[in-house]
Amino acid sequence: MTRWEYAHVSAGFDGATQVWAVTLRIPGRDIEKRVASGIDWISQILNELGHDGWELIDRAATSTGGSTFVAGWQFILKRPAQ
């Protein structure tokens, strides 16, 4: 039976500063906080984690402002436990 470990990436957008506060919680690593602008950080972080064997299994908008504005994201990833 495969045992899994899970990672969590959360991001919140600050409309006043126009930046994203990103937090990575990855087993075996210290909690990491990053600041990013734009939306390129999403693919950069997911690609970085993918190279380490992590697979995206879920993502959710944590809050919205109207039909297209997202103020927060949650990403859940998994990989076989090492």
Side-chain angles (χ1 to χ4, degrees), residues 6-19:
Y6 296 88
H8 180 256
V9 178
S10 59
F13 184 73
D14 182 339
T17 62
Q18 299 290 299
V19 298

Side-chain angles (χ1 to χ4, degrees), residues 6-82:
Y6 296 88
H8 180 256
V9 178
S10 59
F13 184 73
D14 182 339
T17 62
Q18 299 290 299
V19 298
W20 289 89
V22 182
T23 303
L24 291 81
R25 292 174 182 85
I26 300 166
R29 290 171 44 177
D30 290 335
I31 292 176
E32 185 178 337
K33 295 186 183 267
R34 300 183 186 181
V35 176
S37 59
I39 59 169
D40 290 342
W41 66 266
I42 297 170
S43 59
Q44 290 169 354
I45 289 174
L46 295 179
N47 283 332
E48 173 188 325
L49 294 173
H51 289 316
D52 290 338
W54 292 100
E55 174 186 352
L56 179 66
I57 59 171
D58 193 24
R59 58 104 180 94
T62 56
S63 61
T64 60
S67 61
T68 60
F69 179 77
V70 176
W73 284 104
Q74 302 289 321
F75 299 93
I76 306 296
L77 302 98
K78 74 174 186 178
R79 71 176 179 189
Q82 298 182 359

